[in-house]
Amino acid sequence: MAAPLLLAIDQGTSGTKVILADKTGSIAARSHAPIGETHPHPGWVEQDPIEIWQSVQRAVAGCLDGHDPARVAAVGLSTQRESIVAWDRLTGAPLTPVISWQDQRSAALCDALRSPEVEGLVRARSGLPLDPMFSALKASWLRRHHPGASGAIQTGRAVIGTIDSWLLSRLSNDEPVIEIGNASRTQLLDVASGTWDEDLLALFGVPENALPRVVRSTGPFPTVRGLQPLRDGTPVLAVMGDSHSALFAHGAFAPGQIKATYGTGSSIMGLIERPDGLHPGLCLTIGWQIDDPAFAAEGNIRATGAALRWMAGILGMSVDAMTELGARSQSRGAVLVPGFTGLGAPWWDRDAVGILTNLSLNTSSAELARAALEAVVHQVADVVEVIETTTGTARDLFTDGGPTRNDALMQMQADLLGCTIHRSAAPELSALGVAHMAGLGAGVWNWEELRALPRPRETILPRVGLANRSTQRSHWQAAIARARSGTACRAPALETA
């Protein structure tokens, strides 16, 4: 009998990746289907839910081309988080576009709700700061303002779900479900009990009967249906948020092990012993739940890869060319704080502005490119240092994501933190993590065998001393202070006749 395979779907912001993993943990096949996004108004970011589903279908078909679908023992699903969509409970048809995690249309609602009492309630119950990034305010906006969904949400005809819920709903007309780690990012879940919180639902005006049922990361989930060429009835045995799945793939199963995923933004995450006493600049989240919930501390950065793309555009070159130019330059004082839509962790300052400071007539394009690279590593260092207040000093940092392919960027990160970087050699790490969990459920391996799986990675050691790091950090922290006090410098919108 042929050895079993595990099919893992990683549905992300820019596209869907699918891999086939074998019993050794190696990737036997891979496929990718890109998706787009639209910006109908400033600050709005939308995606087409049908296009997302079709990208999954294309990527699954491409990955299985030349492989026997009967060998697939189980399916795992990792997804972008916080993005939401509403669909008709009876027909399955989408009622709204996907409102992306990047979307800021609910900022006015956020400001209207904001008070010390409300922020305290939201933080205490959900573990998250009150911010438009999370799903609750997006759901509130849909209920109030979307003509195709508001009435259906009120009557219970509509389901409001995250991307994992939406994709699972395409497989079955049964009761909709949401995986607990994704649910913990909605700001509607009581993370301590793992259930929808009545006070948060009332605060944001989201009826509970419009929400999916919360289940563990191992389900139960609907089986595959209509996802060719997979056989109908193939079990879905694992679902996780993409960042959670990357942590799982690193094998970072113990508190004190921290990973950083570099993408458009970045997620820095590590498991913690207890869910209380967390630094206010961090989010409390549920990494996954197999038996008991695995709690994690997380810091979310809004613009890392986005900062590199922005600077590349300013300099009129590709991101690769810009990063190579910056890597060859020395730091001469120019500092970029990419607060284009405010700052995320550990500041959570939506009023912060983007600044480029410490310029002179001698500042070159190479120094500007260097400043963009430094903006990435400083933001990651900000969050790692705060996580260390809970977990203790991190001597190792596990990294993944597209920008980590840049050797200079990773060396700068190791130097700035003074820790060893373990860079994953697997570009599909989020898919691999959920394949690992699905393999547990399918009996392809047990915990001991899973821990022993090879995890190809490269080690990057720090090369600079504490004095150099301290100087760089002091320049960065001064620039952050200016960005956070920069609201008075924010230019008003110009009106045209």
Side-chain angles (χ1 to χ4, degrees), residues 116-388:
E117 294 76 20
V118 166
E119 290 179 297
L121 170 66
V122 170
R123 168 70 74 170
R125 300 287 178 84
S126 73
L128 306 172
L130 183 66
D131 190 89
M133 184 180 83
F134 303 108
S135 312
L137 283 160
K138 303 178 196 303
S140 182
W141 188 94
L142 286 177
R143 185 187 64 78
R144 294 166 183 253
H145 299 296
H146 196 283
S150 56
I153 290 172
Q154 287 295 106
T155 62
R157 175 74 179 254
V159 182
I160 306 173
T162 46
I163 297 300
D164 63 312
S165 302
W166 163 246
L167 293 178
L168 290 168
S169 79
R170 307 307 294 171
L171 303 177
S172 172
N173 288 327
D174 295 339
E175 179 188 14
V177 296
I178 181 172
E179 183 268 332
I180 192 168
N182 279 287
S184 74
R185 305 296 296 178
T186 63
Q187 211 158 64
L188 296 170
L189 191 82
D190 182 332
V191 287
S193 67
T195 59
W196 299 124
D197 184 89
E198 291 183 1
D199 293 329
L200 295 177
L201 295 174
L203 174 68
F204 293 107
V206 179
E208 186 171 359
N209 63 0
L211 296 174
R213 179 169 57 89
V214 180
V215 298
R216 297 182 180 193
S217 306
T218 50
F221 301 113
T223 58
V224 166
R225 184 197 64 182
L227 188 52
Q228 301 299 324
L230 278 175
R231 296 187 304 176
D232 284 358
T234 303
V236 179
L237 296 183
V239 175
M240 283 188 279
D242 51 9
S243 191
H244 309 217
S245 188
L247 184 68
F248 199 86
H250 278 296
F253 303 136
Q257 297 175 315
I258 303 172
K259 71 89 190 175
T261 297
Y262 298 70
T264 299
S266 286
S267 161
I268 297 87
M269 180 186 288
L271 298 186
I272 55 176
E273 292 279 5
R274 297 170 54 85
D276 53 353
L278 201 63
H279 187 285
L282 298 173
C283 298
L284 173 64
T285 193
I286 297 174
W288 52 80
Q289 183 177 8
I290 298 174
D291 296 315
D292 294 328
F295 292 100
E298 182 177 13
N300 302 101
I301 300 170
R302 298 188 194 278
T304 47
L308 301 180
R309 291 196 297 271
W310 178 83
M311 182 59 77
I314 293 294
L315 298 178
M317 58 181 65
S318 69
V319 172
D320 288 343
M322 189 276 296
T323 53
E324 182 179 350
L325 178 66
R328 296 198 306 265
S329 177
Q330 296 297 315
S331 180
R332 302 188 187 279
V335 180
L336 168 67
V337 178
F340 308 125
T341 57
L343 292 171
W347 315 109
W348 293 106
D349 187 346
R350 193 163 50 83
D351 291 326
V353 297
I355 63 169
L356 183 58
T357 187
N358 294 353
L359 306 182
S360 73
L361 290 174
N362 293 323
T363 301
S364 66
S365 57
E367 291 161 24
L368 295 179
R370 177 79 180 194
L373 294 176
E374 290 178 345
V376 172
V377 298
H378 276 293
Q379 289 183 100
V380 171
D382 286 342
V383 177
V384 170
E385 289 172 356
V386 171
I387 292 180
E388 288 176 335

